[in-house]
Amino acid sequence: MASIARSALLRQVATAGPVPRQVIASSSRALPVATFHTSARRNLLPPLPQKVEGTVNDPAPVPEPSPSHGSYHWTFDRLVAASLIPLTVTPFAAGSLNPTLDALLCATILIHSHTGFQSIIIDYVPTWRMPRVRKLFNWGLKAATAVVGLALYEFETTDVGLVETVKRVWTA
Amino acid sequence: MIAQRAGTTALRRVVTAGKPNAFFNTNIAKLGLASSSLSSTTQQTRPVATQHLTPSEAQSILAKQRLQRPVSPHLDIYDKQQTWFGGSAWQRITGASFSGALYVFATAYLVAPLAGWHLESASLAAAMAGLPVAAKGGLKFLLAWPFVFHATNGVRHLLFDIGVGFKRRTIVQTGWYLWGASIVGGLYLAFFL
């Protein structure tokens, strides 16, 4: 019984012909697009001319997993940040740092700054949007860090050290 | 059995009279359908027409369609507490300004002998001593506040990383404590140390 009823229904649908166009148009017009926009449209970053990589049906590419650029890097970042805590607290407690610890503090701050700037570049200079600028910034940061490392070495070996300098300037 | 076979051979003869066909059985079915669909009412109609596209044509349609997508909403629509006073954003701002200042100072220190500047600790201390009290305090606060904020919020973020205090309510609460503590701490370092 059911199969007979179903075939009759199918036949009815099949013979009904296409749905009149006007019905579709009026029902979609009843859903105003404006209701989805609750704030004024602002073209903060208008989209660039679009380029499709691969074919239309390809999924978004997944980057190769690399622990040295992923979890190891993340853990290393946290270790550096955590090791800065005792190096920062000690001068307040002891009044000063010995030259070795002062040099260690400078080196750790330098690494912490470098990885911090690195994440800023990764976040705000996306490779897919400006690959050349990204490369320029990355190499610029490496050069700057090398220069600052040299400068900190000079400062630590010819002057009184970072903590002592801050102390003298602060109490001046 | 024999009658059946005679019927099949007759049918085969009729079909292969026009041209020989390897897919005999399937074509029998098709022929039956074709003859009946001409007159019957079960004929299917498909109002949607498909069109063959080359890959490059498909890509250009997709690229054009992507330009119609709405751009990400402006920061203004989000919760003020998160976007303007969020500890995460200010951690980056304070850290980048401190590290930026360090990079500028260190590079200047390296260039100083060539340019004839005096950036040794003694000259810096002397320059600081020469400033009026208000300027001295203001300058110290300008350095002390980001330092305290970055240090304390850094500890908070390290705790987040090991899963401590990472409830939504706690994050918002400690965020506000942090602002108070960093301002008080900055003022203390600037004026009472």
Short mmCIF file of all heavy atoms in Angstrom, two decimals, chain A residues 68-133:
data_model
loop_
_atom_site.label_atom_id
_atom_site.label_comp_id
_atom_site.label_asym_id
_atom_site.label_seq_id
_atom_site.Cartn_x
_atom_site.Cartn_y
_atom_site.Cartn_z
N SER A 68 59.48 21.71 15.84
CA SER A 68 60.45 22.76 16.19
C SER A 68 59.89 24.14 15.90
O SER A 68 60.33 25.12 16.47
CB SER A 68 61.76 22.54 15.44
OG SER A 68 61.52 22.42 14.07
N HIS A 69 58.88 24.23 14.99
CA HIS A 69 58.22 25.52 14.78
C HIS A 69 56.93 25.60 15.58
O HIS A 69 56.26 26.61 15.56
CB HIS A 69 57.90 25.72 13.29
CG HIS A 69 59.12 26.02 12.48
ND1 HIS A 69 59.32 25.53 11.22
CD2 HIS A 69 60.20 26.75 12.77
CE1 HIS A 69 60.48 25.93 10.77
NE2 HIS A 69 61.04 26.68 11.69
N GLY A 70 56.55 24.52 16.22
CA GLY A 70 55.27 24.48 16.93
C GLY A 70 55.45 24.33 18.42
O GLY A 70 55.81 25.28 19.11
N SER A 71 55.25 23.10 18.90
CA SER A 71 55.20 22.91 20.35
C SER A 71 56.55 23.17 21.02
O SER A 71 56.60 23.74 22.11
CB SER A 71 54.71 21.51 20.66
OG SER A 71 55.60 20.56 20.14
N TYR A 72 57.67 22.76 20.40
CA TYR A 72 58.97 23.00 21.03
C TYR A 72 59.22 24.49 21.16
O TYR A 72 59.70 24.98 22.18
CB TYR A 72 60.11 22.37 20.22
CG TYR A 72 60.07 20.86 20.11
CD1 TYR A 72 60.88 20.19 19.21
CD2 TYR A 72 59.23 20.11 20.93
CE1 TYR A 72 60.85 18.81 19.10
CE2 TYR A 72 59.19 18.73 20.84
CZ TYR A 72 59.99 18.09 19.91
OH TYR A 72 59.96 16.74 19.80
N HIS A 73 58.89 25.21 20.08
CA HIS A 73 59.08 26.66 20.07
C HIS A 73 58.25 27.30 21.17
O HIS A 73 58.71 28.17 21.90
CB HIS A 73 58.68 27.19 18.69
CG HIS A 73 58.95 28.64 18.49
ND1 HIS A 73 58.02 29.60 18.78
CD2 HIS A 73 60.05 29.29 18.05
CE1 HIS A 73 58.54 30.78 18.51
NE2 HIS A 73 59.76 30.62 18.07
N TRP A 74 57.00 26.83 21.27
CA TRP A 74 56.07 27.36 22.28
C TRP A 74 56.61 27.11 23.68
O TRP A 74 56.66 28.01 24.52
CB TRP A 74 54.71 26.68 22.10
CG TRP A 74 53.59 27.26 22.88
CD1 TRP A 74 52.77 28.28 22.50
CD2 TRP A 74 53.16 26.86 24.19
NE1 TRP A 74 51.85 28.53 23.49
CE2 TRP A 74 52.06 27.68 24.53
CE3 TRP A 74 53.59 25.91 25.10
CZ2 TRP A 74 51.39 27.56 25.75
CZ3 TRP A 74 52.93 25.79 26.30
CH2 TRP A 74 51.85 26.62 26.62
N THR A 75 57.07 25.86 23.93
CA THR A 75 57.59 25.51 25.26
C THR A 75 58.85 26.31 25.56
O THR A 75 59.03 26.80 26.69
CB THR A 75 57.90 24.00 25.31
OG1 THR A 75 56.77 23.30 24.81
CG2 THR A 75 58.18 23.54 26.72
N PHE A 76 59.71 26.46 24.56
CA PHE A 76 60.93 27.24 24.74
C PHE A 76 60.60 28.68 25.12
O PHE A 76 61.20 29.25 26.04
CB PHE A 76 61.74 27.19 23.43
CG PHE A 76 62.97 28.06 23.45
CD1 PHE A 76 64.08 27.69 24.18
CD2 PHE A 76 63.01 29.24 22.73
CE1 PHE A 76 65.21 28.48 24.20
CE2 PHE A 76 64.14 30.04 22.74
CZ PHE A 76 65.24 29.66 23.48
N ASP A 77 59.61 29.26 24.43
CA ASP A 77 59.16 30.62 24.73
C ASP A 77 58.72 30.74 26.18
O ASP A 77 59.06 31.71 26.87
CB ASP A 77 57.96 30.96 23.85
CG ASP A 77 58.35 31.77 22.63
OD1 ASP A 77 59.56 31.98 22.43
OD2 ASP A 77 57.44 32.18 21.89
N ARG A 78 57.95 29.75 26.65
CA ARG A 78 57.45 29.79 28.03
C ARG A 78 58.58 29.64 29.03
O ARG A 78 58.58 30.28 30.07
CB ARG A 78 56.40 28.68 28.24
CG ARG A 78 55.18 28.80 27.35
CD ARG A 78 54.52 30.16 27.53
NE ARG A 78 53.40 30.36 26.63
CZ ARG A 78 53.48 30.82 25.39
NH1 ARG A 78 54.64 31.09 24.87
NH2 ARG A 78 52.41 31.00 24.67
N LEU A 79 59.56 28.77 28.70
CA LEU A 79 60.69 28.58 29.60
C LEU A 79 61.49 29.87 29.73
O LEU A 79 61.90 30.26 30.83
CB LEU A 79 61.60 27.44 29.09
CG LEU A 79 61.05 26.03 29.31
CD1 LEU A 79 62.00 25.00 28.68
CD2 LEU A 79 60.88 25.74 30.80
N VAL A 80 61.71 30.54 28.60
CA VAL A 80 62.45 31.81 28.63
C VAL A 80 61.69 32.83 29.48
O VAL A 80 62.26 33.51 30.34
CB VAL A 80 62.67 32.34 27.19
CG1 VAL A 80 63.17 33.76 27.21
CG2 VAL A 80 63.64 31.46 26.44
N ALA A 81 60.36 32.91 29.25
CA ALA A 81 59.54 33.86 30.00
C ALA A 81 59.58 33.54 31.49
O ALA A 81 59.73 34.44 32.33
CB ALA A 81 58.10 33.84 29.49
N ALA A 82 59.48 32.24 31.83
CA ALA A 82 59.48 31.86 33.24
C ALA A 82 60.84 32.12 33.88
O ALA A 82 60.91 32.53 35.04
CB ALA A 82 59.11 30.38 33.37
N SER A 83 61.93 31.92 33.11
CA SER A 83 63.25 32.15 33.70
C SER A 83 63.51 33.64 33.93
O SER A 83 64.42 34.01 34.67
CB SER A 83 64.34 31.56 32.80
OG SER A 83 64.37 32.25 31.58
N LEU A 84 62.71 34.49 33.30
CA LEU A 84 62.87 35.93 33.54
C LEU A 84 62.33 36.33 34.92
O LEU A 84 62.71 37.37 35.44
CB LEU A 84 62.13 36.74 32.46
CG LEU A 84 62.95 37.05 31.20
CD1 LEU A 84 62.06 37.60 30.11
CD2 LEU A 84 64.05 38.04 31.52
N ILE A 85 61.43 35.50 35.48
CA ILE A 85 60.84 35.87 36.78
C ILE A 85 61.91 35.98 37.88
O ILE A 85 62.06 37.04 38.48
CB ILE A 85 59.72 34.88 37.19
CG1 ILE A 85 58.59 34.90 36.15
CG2 ILE A 85 59.16 35.24 38.55
CD1 ILE A 85 57.56 33.81 36.35
N PRO A 86 62.71 34.89 38.13
CA PRO A 86 63.73 35.04 39.18
C PRO A 86 64.77 36.11 38.84
O PRO A 86 65.23 36.83 39.74
CB PRO A 86 64.37 33.65 39.25
CG PRO A 86 63.99 32.96 38.00
CD PRO A 86 62.67 33.52 37.60
N LEU A 87 65.12 36.23 37.55
CA LEU A 87 66.12 37.23 37.15
C LEU A 87 65.60 38.64 37.38
O LEU A 87 66.39 39.58 37.55
CB LEU A 87 66.48 37.04 35.67
CG LEU A 87 67.39 35.86 35.36
CD1 LEU A 87 67.52 35.67 33.86
CD2 LEU A 87 68.78 36.07 35.98
N THR A 88 64.27 38.83 37.37
CA THR A 88 63.70 40.16 37.60
C THR A 88 63.51 40.42 39.09
O THR A 88 63.66 41.56 39.55
CB THR A 88 62.34 40.28 36.88
OG1 THR A 88 62.45 39.69 35.61
CG2 THR A 88 61.91 41.71 36.74
N VAL A 89 63.17 39.37 39.83
CA VAL A 89 62.87 39.56 41.25
C VAL A 89 64.16 39.73 42.06
O VAL A 89 64.21 40.55 42.98
CB VAL A 89 62.04 38.36 41.79
CG1 VAL A 89 61.89 38.45 43.29
CG2 VAL A 89 60.67 38.33 41.12
N THR A 90 65.22 38.99 41.67
CA THR A 90 66.48 39.02 42.44
C THR A 90 67.04 40.43 42.67
O THR A 90 67.38 40.76 43.81
CB THR A 90 67.54 38.12 41.76
OG1 THR A 90 66.94 36.88 41.48
CG2 THR A 90 68.75 37.93 42.64
N PRO A 91 67.14 41.29 41.63
CA PRO A 91 67.68 42.62 41.89
C PRO A 91 66.88 43.41 42.92
O PRO A 91 67.46 44.14 43.72
CB PRO A 91 67.61 43.31 40.53
CG PRO A 91 67.50 42.24 39.55
CD PRO A 91 66.85 41.10 40.21
N PHE A 92 65.54 43.22 42.94
CA PHE A 92 64.73 43.94 43.92
C PHE A 92 65.00 43.41 45.32
O PHE A 92 65.00 44.16 46.29
CB PHE A 92 63.23 43.78 43.59
CG PHE A 92 62.78 44.61 42.43
CD1 PHE A 92 62.56 44.04 41.19
CD2 PHE A 92 62.60 45.99 42.59
CE1 PHE A 92 62.15 44.82 40.12
CE2 PHE A 92 62.20 46.76 41.52
CZ PHE A 92 61.97 46.18 40.28
N ALA A 93 65.26 42.10 45.42
CA ALA A 93 65.50 41.49 46.73
C ALA A 93 66.93 41.73 47.20
O ALA A 93 67.16 42.09 48.36
CB ALA A 93 65.22 39.99 46.65
N ALA A 94 67.90 41.55 46.28
CA ALA A 94 69.29 41.61 46.69
C ALA A 94 69.91 43.00 46.47
O ALA A 94 71.01 43.26 46.94
CB ALA A 94 70.09 40.57 45.91
N GLY A 95 69.22 43.87 45.74
CA GLY A 95 69.75 45.21 45.52
C GLY A 95 70.61 45.31 44.27
O GLY A 95 70.81 46.39 43.73
N SER A 96 71.13 44.18 43.79
CA SER A 96 71.96 44.22 42.59
C SER A 96 72.11 42.81 42.01
O SER A 96 71.60 41.84 42.57
CB SER A 96 73.33 44.81 42.93
OG SER A 96 74.08 44.97 41.75
N LEU A 97 72.80 42.71 40.89
CA LEU A 97 73.09 41.40 40.29
C LEU A 97 74.58 41.33 40.03
O LEU A 97 75.21 42.34 39.68
CB LEU A 97 72.35 41.26 38.95
CG LEU A 97 70.91 40.78 38.93
CD1 LEU A 97 70.46 40.58 37.49
CD2 LEU A 97 70.73 39.49 39.70
N ASN A 98 75.16 40.14 40.16
CA ASN A 98 76.57 40.03 39.80
C ASN A 98 76.70 40.02 38.27
O ASN A 98 75.70 39.77 37.57
CB ASN A 98 77.21 38.80 40.47
CG ASN A 98 76.64 37.49 39.97
OD1 ASN A 98 76.29 37.37 38.78
ND2 ASN A 98 76.55 36.52 40.84
N PRO A 99 77.89 40.30 37.74
CA PRO A 99 78.04 40.45 36.28
C PRO A 99 77.51 39.27 35.48
O PRO A 99 76.91 39.48 34.43
CB PRO A 99 79.54 40.61 36.10
CG PRO A 99 80.00 41.19 37.37
CD PRO A 99 79.13 40.62 38.45
N THR A 100 77.72 38.05 35.98
CA THR A 100 77.27 36.88 35.22
C THR A 100 75.74 36.87 35.11
O THR A 100 75.19 36.68 34.03
CB THR A 100 77.73 35.59 35.92
OG1 THR A 100 79.10 35.73 36.25
CG2 THR A 100 77.51 34.39 35.03
N LEU A 101 75.09 37.09 36.27
CA LEU A 101 73.63 37.09 36.25
C LEU A 101 73.10 38.26 35.42
O LEU A 101 72.08 38.15 34.75
CB LEU A 101 73.08 37.17 37.68
CG LEU A 101 73.03 35.84 38.43
CD1 LEU A 101 72.44 36.06 39.82
CD2 LEU A 101 72.19 34.82 37.67
N ASP A 102 73.80 39.39 35.47
CA ASP A 102 73.38 40.56 34.70
C ASP A 102 73.46 40.25 33.20
O ASP A 102 72.54 40.58 32.45
CB ASP A 102 74.28 41.75 35.04
CG ASP A 102 73.60 43.06 34.68
OD1 ASP A 102 72.83 43.56 35.52
OD2 ASP A 102 73.82 43.55 33.55
N ALA A 103 74.54 39.58 32.80
CA ALA A 103 74.69 39.18 31.39
C ALA A 103 73.62 38.18 31.00
O ALA A 103 73.04 38.25 29.91
CB ALA A 103 76.08 38.58 31.16
N LEU A 104 73.30 37.27 31.93
CA LEU A 104 72.25 36.29 31.68
C LEU A 104 70.91 36.98 31.51
O LEU A 104 70.11 36.63 30.63
CB LEU A 104 72.21 35.30 32.85
CG LEU A 104 71.37 34.03 32.64
CD1 LEU A 104 71.95 33.20 31.51
CD2 LEU A 104 71.31 33.22 33.93
N LEU A 105 70.67 37.97 32.37
CA LEU A 105 69.42 38.75 32.26
C LEU A 105 69.32 39.42 30.89
O LEU A 105 68.29 39.34 30.21
CB LEU A 105 69.36 39.81 33.37
CG LEU A 105 68.18 40.78 33.32
CD1 LEU A 105 66.87 40.05 33.55
CD2 LEU A 105 68.34 41.88 34.35
N CYS A 106 70.43 40.05 30.46
CA CYS A 106 70.45 40.72 29.14
C CYS A 106 70.16 39.73 28.02
O CYS A 106 69.34 40.00 27.13
CB CYS A 106 71.81 41.37 28.90
SG CYS A 106 72.00 42.92 29.77
N ALA A 107 70.82 38.57 28.08
CA ALA A 107 70.66 37.56 27.03
C ALA A 107 69.22 37.07 26.99
O ALA A 107 68.62 36.92 25.91
CB ALA A 107 71.63 36.41 27.26
N THR A 108 68.65 36.81 28.17
CA THR A 108 67.28 36.28 28.22
C THR A 108 66.29 37.32 27.71
O THR A 108 65.35 36.98 26.98
CB THR A 108 66.93 35.87 29.67
OG1 THR A 108 68.04 35.21 30.24
CG2 THR A 108 65.74 34.95 29.70
N ILE A 109 66.51 38.58 28.11
CA ILE A 109 65.62 39.65 27.61
C ILE A 109 65.72 39.73 26.09
O ILE A 109 64.72 39.90 25.39
CB ILE A 109 65.98 41.01 28.27
CG1 ILE A 109 65.54 41.02 29.73
CG2 ILE A 109 65.33 42.16 27.51
CD1 ILE A 109 65.94 42.27 30.47
N LEU A 110 66.96 39.57 25.58
CA LEU A 110 67.15 39.66 24.12
C LEU A 110 66.38 38.54 23.40
O LEU A 110 65.68 38.80 22.41
CB LEU A 110 68.64 39.58 23.79
CG LEU A 110 69.00 39.81 22.32
CD1 LEU A 110 68.68 41.22 21.90
CD2 LEU A 110 70.46 39.51 22.08
N ILE A 111 66.48 37.32 23.93
CA ILE A 111 65.76 36.19 23.29
C ILE A 111 64.25 36.41 23.39
O ILE A 111 63.51 36.22 22.42
CB ILE A 111 66.16 34.85 23.96
CG1 ILE A 111 67.63 34.57 23.73
CG2 ILE A 111 65.32 33.70 23.41
CD1 ILE A 111 68.17 33.45 24.60
N HIS A 112 63.82 36.84 24.58
CA HIS A 112 62.39 37.08 24.82
C HIS A 112 61.87 38.16 23.86
O HIS A 112 60.80 38.02 23.26
CB HIS A 112 62.22 37.52 26.27
CG HIS A 112 60.81 37.57 26.74
ND1 HIS A 112 60.00 36.47 26.83
CD2 HIS A 112 60.04 38.62 27.17
CE1 HIS A 112 58.81 36.83 27.29
NE2 HIS A 112 58.81 38.14 27.50
N SER A 113 62.66 39.23 23.68
CA SER A 113 62.26 40.30 22.76
C SER A 113 62.21 39.78 21.33
O SER A 113 61.26 40.08 20.59
CB SER A 113 63.26 41.46 22.83
OG SER A 113 63.35 41.96 24.12
N HIS A 114 63.23 39.00 20.97
CA HIS A 114 63.29 38.51 19.59
C HIS A 114 62.07 37.64 19.26
O HIS A 114 61.42 37.85 18.24
CB HIS A 114 64.58 37.71 19.39
CG HIS A 114 64.75 37.20 17.99
ND1 HIS A 114 65.25 37.98 16.98
CD2 HIS A 114 64.46 36.00 17.43
CE1 HIS A 114 65.27 37.27 15.85
NE2 HIS A 114 64.79 36.06 16.11
N THR A 115 61.75 36.69 20.14
CA THR A 115 60.61 35.82 19.86
C THR A 115 59.30 36.60 19.93
O THR A 115 58.36 36.30 19.21
CB THR A 115 60.56 34.61 20.81
OG1 THR A 115 60.64 35.08 22.15
CG2 THR A 115 61.68 33.65 20.55
N GLY A 116 59.25 37.60 20.81
CA GLY A 116 58.06 38.46 20.88
C GLY A 116 57.84 39.21 19.58
O GLY A 116 56.73 39.20 19.03
N PHE A 117 58.90 39.85 19.07
CA PHE A 117 58.78 40.57 17.79
C PHE A 117 58.43 39.59 16.66
O PHE A 117 57.67 39.92 15.76
CB PHE A 117 60.09 41.29 17.46
CG PHE A 117 60.30 42.56 18.21
CD1 PHE A 117 61.51 42.87 18.81
CD2 PHE A 117 59.27 43.49 18.33
CE1 PHE A 117 61.70 44.05 19.51
CE2 PHE A 117 59.45 44.68 19.03
CZ PHE A 117 60.67 44.95 19.61
N GLN A 118 59.02 38.39 16.76
CA GLN A 118 58.75 37.37 15.74
C GLN A 118 57.25 37.05 15.69
O GLN A 118 56.66 37.00 14.61
CB GLN A 118 59.51 36.10 16.10
CG GLN A 118 60.14 35.43 14.94
CD GLN A 118 61.06 34.31 15.39
OE1 GLN A 118 60.96 33.81 16.52
NE2 GLN A 118 61.96 33.91 14.53
N SER A 119 56.64 36.87 16.87
CA SER A 119 55.20 36.54 16.84
C SER A 119 54.38 37.73 16.35
O SER A 119 53.34 37.54 15.70
CB SER A 119 54.67 36.09 18.19
OG SER A 119 55.64 36.09 19.16
N ILE A 120 54.84 38.95 16.64
CA ILE A 120 54.12 40.12 16.13
C ILE A 120 54.17 40.14 14.60
O ILE A 120 53.16 40.36 13.93
CB ILE A 120 54.72 41.42 16.72
CG1 ILE A 120 54.39 41.50 18.22
CG2 ILE A 120 54.18 42.65 16.00
CD1 ILE A 120 55.05 42.64 18.94
N ILE A 121 55.35 39.86 14.04
CA ILE A 121 55.49 39.83 12.58
C ILE A 121 54.60 38.73 11.99
O ILE A 121 53.89 38.95 11.01
CB ILE A 121 56.97 39.63 12.18
CG1 ILE A 121 57.79 40.85 12.55
CG2 ILE A 121 57.09 39.35 10.68
CD1 ILE A 121 59.27 40.69 12.37
N ILE A 122 54.63 37.54 12.62
CA ILE A 122 53.82 36.43 12.11
C ILE A 122 52.34 36.79 12.13
O ILE A 122 51.59 36.47 11.21
CB ILE A 122 54.09 35.15 12.94
CG1 ILE A 122 55.49 34.62 12.63
CG2 ILE A 122 53.04 34.08 12.67
CD1 ILE A 122 55.96 33.53 13.56
N ASP A 123 51.92 37.52 13.19
CA ASP A 123 50.50 37.85 13.31
C ASP A 123 50.05 38.93 12.34
O ASP A 123 48.96 38.87 11.80
CB ASP A 123 50.18 38.31 14.74
CG ASP A 123 50.11 37.15 15.70
OD1 ASP A 123 50.21 36.00 15.23
OD2 ASP A 123 49.96 37.37 16.91
N TYR A 124 50.87 39.96 12.16
CA TYR A 124 50.39 41.13 11.42
C TYR A 124 50.94 41.24 10.01
O TYR A 124 50.49 42.10 9.24
CB TYR A 124 50.71 42.42 12.20
CG TYR A 124 50.14 42.40 13.60
CD1 TYR A 124 50.88 42.84 14.69
CD2 TYR A 124 48.85 41.92 13.82
CE1 TYR A 124 50.36 42.81 15.97
CE2 TYR A 124 48.33 41.89 15.10
CZ TYR A 124 49.08 42.33 16.16
OH TYR A 124 48.56 42.28 17.42
N VAL A 125 51.92 40.43 9.64
CA VAL A 125 52.43 40.45 8.26
C VAL A 125 52.22 39.05 7.68
O VAL A 125 53.15 38.26 7.62
CB VAL A 125 53.92 40.86 8.22
CG1 VAL A 125 54.36 41.10 6.78
CG2 VAL A 125 54.17 42.10 9.05
N PRO A 126 50.99 38.73 7.27
CA PRO A 126 50.73 37.37 6.80
C PRO A 126 51.43 37.06 5.48
O PRO A 126 51.47 37.91 4.58
CB PRO A 126 49.21 37.32 6.64
CG PRO A 126 48.77 38.74 6.55
CD PRO A 126 49.78 39.57 7.26
N THR A 127 51.96 35.86 5.39
CA THR A 127 52.70 35.46 4.18
C THR A 127 51.83 35.46 2.95
O THR A 127 52.27 35.85 1.87
CB THR A 127 53.29 34.05 4.37
OG1 THR A 127 53.89 33.98 5.65
CG2 THR A 127 54.32 33.74 3.32
N TRP A 128 50.54 35.03 3.13
CA TRP A 128 49.69 34.94 1.95
C TRP A 128 49.35 36.30 1.39
O TRP A 128 49.01 36.44 0.23
CB TRP A 128 48.41 34.17 2.27
CG TRP A 128 47.61 34.77 3.39
CD1 TRP A 128 47.68 34.47 4.71
CD2 TRP A 128 46.61 35.79 3.26
NE1 TRP A 128 46.80 35.23 5.43
CE2 TRP A 128 46.13 36.05 4.58
CE3 TRP A 128 46.08 36.52 2.19
CZ2 TRP A 128 45.14 37.00 4.83
CZ3 TRP A 128 45.10 37.46 2.46
CH2 TRP A 128 44.65 37.69 3.76
N ARG A 129 49.46 37.34 2.23
CA ARG A 129 49.09 38.67 1.75
C ARG A 129 50.31 39.44 1.26
O ARG A 129 50.27 40.09 0.22
CB ARG A 129 48.39 39.44 2.87
CG ARG A 129 47.77 40.71 2.37
CD ARG A 129 46.62 41.16 3.25
NE ARG A 129 45.98 42.29 2.65
CZ ARG A 129 44.69 42.58 2.78
NH1 ARG A 129 43.93 41.82 3.50
NH2 ARG A 129 44.18 43.63 2.21
N MET A 130 51.40 39.41 2.03
CA MET A 130 52.61 40.14 1.61
C MET A 130 53.84 39.28 1.88
O MET A 130 54.51 39.47 2.89
CB MET A 130 52.72 41.48 2.33
CG MET A 130 51.62 41.75 3.32
SD MET A 130 51.74 43.34 4.07
CE MET A 130 50.59 43.07 5.40
N PRO A 131 54.12 38.36 0.99
CA PRO A 131 55.25 37.44 1.22
C PRO A 131 56.61 38.14 1.25
O PRO A 131 57.47 37.77 2.04
CB PRO A 131 55.16 36.47 0.04
CG PRO A 131 54.31 37.14 -0.97
CD PRO A 131 53.41 38.07 -0.25
N ARG A 132 56.77 39.18 0.43
CA ARG A 132 58.08 39.85 0.38
C ARG A 132 58.32 40.69 1.61
O ARG A 132 59.42 40.72 2.16
CB ARG A 132 58.17 40.73 -0.87
CG ARG A 132 58.31 39.89 -2.10
CD ARG A 132 58.46 40.75 -3.30
NE ARG A 132 58.59 39.92 -4.48
CZ ARG A 132 58.90 40.40 -5.67
NH1 ARG A 132 59.11 41.69 -5.83
NH2 ARG A 132 58.99 39.59 -6.70
N VAL A 133 57.25 41.40 2.04
CA VAL A 133 57.37 42.24 3.25
C VAL A 133 57.68 41.35 4.45
O VAL A 133 58.50 41.70 5.30
CB VAL A 133 56.07 43.04 3.48
CG1 VAL A 133 56.15 43.88 4.73
CG2 VAL A 133 55.77 43.91 2.28
#
